[in-house]
């Protein structure tokens, strides 16, 4: 393994060792320390260690331990800042825990990441928007946005099956998350994940129609379509030169060219040109 790392050289410095999939600081303390010590053998080869955990399992003692074991980034599974939503979903922590933990993490010099889940039981667009605004006020370095997906044989599935929980449709979820992309981009907060990673198990065991394996692509395509329509205010001029970053071509075209087909249906003829100076959502038209 060391030889492979040496061959990667500086490239590996952009890669982190990560402990995800649970609440790292809530596991048995000796086991946690054994994992950190094992990772520490390779920290010289990587950019750092990233962990995820619960907001109510952060305190100065834990942060001191993490700092002494070369942890550089901490992500909190906050999910929502609405007290009713947190209680209804048995999260086991409060909004206050999120704010206290976030402040502590930043005061110790760690990179802060916050994870939110849209469309939880008891939530709505306004509550999800407020969660995003609360996140902005905490000034994290990164965020992850996970639309709620209902899995079979869970308490949420029971609520869905008896009609107590009506999830967002896929279209509603895309609409909301497109708003959130715009908000976090405007605040220079990096979204490092939008939507769940695909797995056969997830696709086969989810209920409803609100899971999509290319969820981020759907949101970005909607964002680019809305941006174009806001800029294309020339009803007498239907042939338009639109400039985007070359890496954003698929975003503008849309999945299976749905954006292009929609615009052609409205009478627009696009001549797409590239400008390397634009960011990934940047656009101007002539």
């Amino acid at each position: 393994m060391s030889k492979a790392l040496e061959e990667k050289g500086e490239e590996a410095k952009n890669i982190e060792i990560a402990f995800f999939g649970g609440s790292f600081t809530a596991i048995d303390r000796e086991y946690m320390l054994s994992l950190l010590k094992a990772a520490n053998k390779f920290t010289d080869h990587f950019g750092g260690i990233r962990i995820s955990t619960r907001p109510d399992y952060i305190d100065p003692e834990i942060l001191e331990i993490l700092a002494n074991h070369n942890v550089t980034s901490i992500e909190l599974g906050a999910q929502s800042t609405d007290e009713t939503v947190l209680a209804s979903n048995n999260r086991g922590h409060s909004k206050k825990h999120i704010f206290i933990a976030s402040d502590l993490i930043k005061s110790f010099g760690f990179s802060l990441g916050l994870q939110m889940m849209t469309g939880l039981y008891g939530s709505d667009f306004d509550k999800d928007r407020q969660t995003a605004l609360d996140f902005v006020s905490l000034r994290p370095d990164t965020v992850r946005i996970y639309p709620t997906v209902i899995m079979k044989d869970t308490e949420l599935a029971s609520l869905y099956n008896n009609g107590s929980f009506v999830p967002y449709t896929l279209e509603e979820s895309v609409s909301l998350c497109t708003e959130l992309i715009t908000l976090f981009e405007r605040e220079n907060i990096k979204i490092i994940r939008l939507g769940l990673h695909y797995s056969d198990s997830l696709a086969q065991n989810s209920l409803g129609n609100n899971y999509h394996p290319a969820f981020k692509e759907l949101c970005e395509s909607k964002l680019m379509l809305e941006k174009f329509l806001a800029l294309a205010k020339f009803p007498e001029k239907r042939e338009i030169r639109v400039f985007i970053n070359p890496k954003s071509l698929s975003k503008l075209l849309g999945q299976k060219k749905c954006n292009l087909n929609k615009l052609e249906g409205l009478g627009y003829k696009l001549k797409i040109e590239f400008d390397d100076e634009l960011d990934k959502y940047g656009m101007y038209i002539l």
Side-chain angles (χ1 to χ4, degrees):
M1 183 174 180
S2 296
K3 183 178 179 181
L5 289 174
E6 286 176 13
E7 291 174 353
K8 277 190 171 292
E10 288 302 312
E11 181 185 340
K13 292 295 184 179
N14 296 319
I15 302 172
E16 294 174 306
I17 299 171
F19 293 103
F20 271 64
S23 297
F24 188 71
T25 60
I27 63 177
D28 176 79
R29 180 62 58 84
E30 288 304 313
Y31 181 48
M32 183 187 82
L33 288 171
S34 70
L35 292 173
L36 288 172
K37 288 174 183 176
N40 275 189
K41 296 176 182 178
F42 304 99
T43 50
D44 288 344
H45 301 286
F46 291 95
I49 300 174
R50 176 180 293 264
I51 69 155
S52 67
T53 194
R54 296 169 55 96
D56 51 331
Y57 276 81
I58 288 291
D59 59 36
E61 179 197 5
I62 287 173
L63 293 175
E64 193 70 43
I65 292 171
L66 297 178
N68 289 335
H69 287 81
N70 299 307
V71 171
T72 49
S73 303
I74 300 174
E75 294 190 32
L76 295 178
Q79 316 313 352
S80 175
T81 56
D82 185 275
E83 298 288 13
T84 302
V85 173
L86 291 171
S88 297
N89 290 272
N90 301 316
R91 289 298 303 163
H93 65 81
S94 67
K95 176 179 179 178
K96 184 177 180 180
H97 284 121
I98 297 168
F99 276 69
I100 291 174
S102 295
D103 288 341
L104 272 174
I105 288 167
K106 291 173 67 177
S107 72
F108 270 73
F110 295 101
S111 173
L112 171 66
L114 294 175
Q115 303 170 5
M116 70 178 290
M117 190 171 290
T118 59
L120 283 165
Y121 175 56
S123 194
D124 56 35
F125 271 29
D126 287 339
K127 291 176 181 177
D128 287 340
R129 289 186 185 109
Q130 186 57 53
T131 291
L133 290 171
D134 286 338
F135 278 19
V136 167
S137 74
L138 291 168
R139 305 310 306 173
D141 297 293
T142 61
V143 295
R144 295 179 192 257
I145 306 171
Y146 295 115
T148 297
V149 174
I150 308 163
M151 301 302 292
K152 294 177 182 177
D153 302 320
T154 62
E155 188 173 339
L156 193 61
S158 298
L159 293 169
Y160 171 72
N161 288 327
N162 68 26
S164 299
F165 174 50
V166 180
Y168 297 160
T169 65
L170 179 61
E171 292 74 19
E172 289 171 334
S173 193
V174 167
S175 179
L176 172 64
C177 290
T178 300
E179 285 185 41
L180 300 186
I181 290 175
T182 302
L183 171 64
F184 288 123
E185 285 286 326
R186 186 172 64 239
E187 296 292 335
N188 295 314
I189 297 171
K190 186 176 182 181
I191 300 173
I192 57 175
R193 185 71 198 174
L194 177 56
L196 292 166
H197 287 282
Y198 175 82
S199 71
D200 290 339
S201 176
L202 182 60
Q204 294 166 7
N205 293 290
S206 59
L207 300 175
N209 73 338
N210 58 347
Y211 170 70
H212 194 285
F215 184 79
K216 181 180 180 181
E217 182 181 334
L218 295 179
C219 295
E220 292 183 324
S221 295
K222 180 176 176 60
L223 188 155
M224 295 294 278
L225 176 64
E226 291 177 349
K227 182 164 287 192
F228 175 84
L229 291 173
L231 291 171
K233 298 176 181 177
F234 310 110
E236 75 287 351
K237 183 180 178 182
R238 290 300 186 177
E239 185 173 84
I240 296 178
R241 294 170 65 197
V242 54
F243 292 80
I244 58 172
N245 186 291
K247 295 180 180 179
S248 299
L249 179 60
S250 63
K251 298 178 178 63
L252 177 59
L253 295 179
Q255 194 174 50
K256 298 180 180 179
K257 296 187 177 180
C258 62
N259 284 353
L260 187 63
N261 294 334
K262 186 174 294 186
L263 291 171
E264 287 180 349
L266 292 172
Y268 290 105
K269 183 178 179 182
L270 274 61
K271 183 179 181 183
I272 301 172
E273 300 185 40
F274 300 120
D275 183 342
D276 291 319
E277 298 298 315
L278 291 169
D279 62 34
K280 61 181 175 180
Y281 301 124
M283 178 190 299
Y284 63 89
I285 63 175
L286 295 175

